[in-house]
Amino acid sequence: MIFRLDPDSIEFPDPTEGDPDGLFAVGGDLSPERLMLAYSLGIFPWFSFRESDEPWWYCPMQRFVIFPDEIHVSHSMRNLMNKGNYTVTFNKDFKGVIEGCSEERIDMEGAWLGRDMIEAYTRLHELGFATSVEVWKGEELVGGLYGVTIGTAFCGESMFSRVPAASKLALIHLARKMESKGALLIDCQFETPHLKSMGGRHIPYFDYLRLLRAPLWLR
């Protein structure tokens, strides 16, 4: 079942009644209030900005996540990290990261990271809810990722690489920082071979909510 959201309310209907792929609602806006309520319920927007002028809202009942202490670091990644050719920062260039993610996918069919989404997540970053991880080679931004911090989770939105393995390097540094802070999971939203190779696995939605609401905060 696909619900249409009430434009005068930020409330969401029951996501467990949605389609098997997780789509359960259409409409509303990308205001900070609605977005943060969505993430607190395990809901996120995802839609092709060329095909729809309003958000589509997803909440898969099987969540693909990475637990920070289970991040897989391959032998080749260890070698890359040991060479010290790259540096990793947090929240140094959110604009550069989100625009890098958009540029990498802008010509793909179903591209979703358009101007409205960029503006919405930039606003969340300004409010302290969205985080970026940057990978640098000297002064050049060569990769990174960004997402939303809510409860004990980091809800990953997108990543990009301009050199091989830059996004993997960003993810490993994110996981290590989260583990040091006691945060519990990285929400990958959908399974990909790339993320599965890094240690991703599925957990049920209600287990996800229980972990999300544990009394910790990623800072």
Side-chain angles (χ1 to χ4, degrees):
M1 180 182 298
I2 307 299
F3 299 91
R4 174 156 291 280
L5 298 185
D6 181 351
D8 298 321
S9 171
I10 66 169
E11 297 299 315
F12 287 93
D14 183 358
T16 65
E17 298 183 12
D19 283 0
D21 66 356
L23 176 64
F24 79 99
V26 175
D29 57 23
L30 296 171
S31 67
E33 295 80 10
R34 189 187 299 274
L35 283 171
M36 293 312 295
L37 175 61
Y39 282 103
S40 73
L41 299 170
I43 298 166
F44 56 90
W46 189 51
F47 64 104
S48 171
F49 65 87
R50 294 191 181 98
E51 300 172 10
S52 176
D53 58 1
E54 57 184 353
W56 294 16
W57 300 91
Y58 285 77
C59 187
M61 292 296 103
Q62 289 294 317
R63 308 306 295 245
F64 195 70
V65 305
I66 295 175
F67 291 95
D69 63 349
E70 295 180 1
I71 190 79
H72 176 66
V73 184
S74 67
H75 179 71
S76 61
M77 281 302 302
R78 291 185 189 278
N79 286 339
L80 178 67
M81 295 167 70
N82 289 336
K83 289 179 180 178
N85 293 332
Y86 302 102
T87 57
V88 179
T89 59
F90 288 78
N91 290 322
K92 184 176 181 179
D93 189 1
F94 186 89
K95 179 176 183 290
V97 168
I98 197 170
E99 290 185 350
C101 293
S102 176
E103 291 165 5
E104 188 169 89
R105 294 164 175 80
I106 198 68
D107 294 327
M108 294 181 180
E109 182 179 355
W112 55 269
L113 192 48
R115 185 51 49 189
D116 289 347
M117 290 283 273
I118 289 174
E119 291 177 355
Y121 285 91
T122 299
R123 179 59 177 151
L124 285 188
H125 174 68
E126 292 168 349
L127 293 171
F129 296 116
T131 293
S132 61
V133 185
E134 302 88 13
V135 179
W136 305 88
K137 186 172 185 179
E139 298 297 316
E140 180 186 3
L141 180 66
V142 295
L145 60 82
Y146 79 95
V148 175
T149 299
I150 184 78
T152 65
F154 178 89
C155 302
E157 282 296 316
S158 191
M159 56 176 58
F160 80 105
S161 294
R162 292 178 179 144
V163 298
S167 62
K168 287 185 177 182
L169 186 59
L171 185 60
I172 291 167
H173 278 262
L174 171 67
R176 289 181 171 178
K177 181 174 182 179
M178 290 181 67
E179 186 176 8
S180 73
K181 299 285 186 179
L184 298 182
L185 74 161
I186 300 170
D187 180 4
C188 303
Q189 298 181 347
F190 295 110
E191 179 180 343
T192 69
H194 171 76
L195 293 170
K196 188 172 184 179
S197 73
M198 300 291 289
R201 59 186 173 95
H202 287 98
I203 62 172
Y205 172 61
F206 290 105
D207 288 350
Y208 172 89
L209 285 184
R210 177 178 55 80
L211 292 169
L212 185 71
R213 295 169 179 173
L216 294 172
W217 189 264
L218 174 61
R219 299 184 185 274

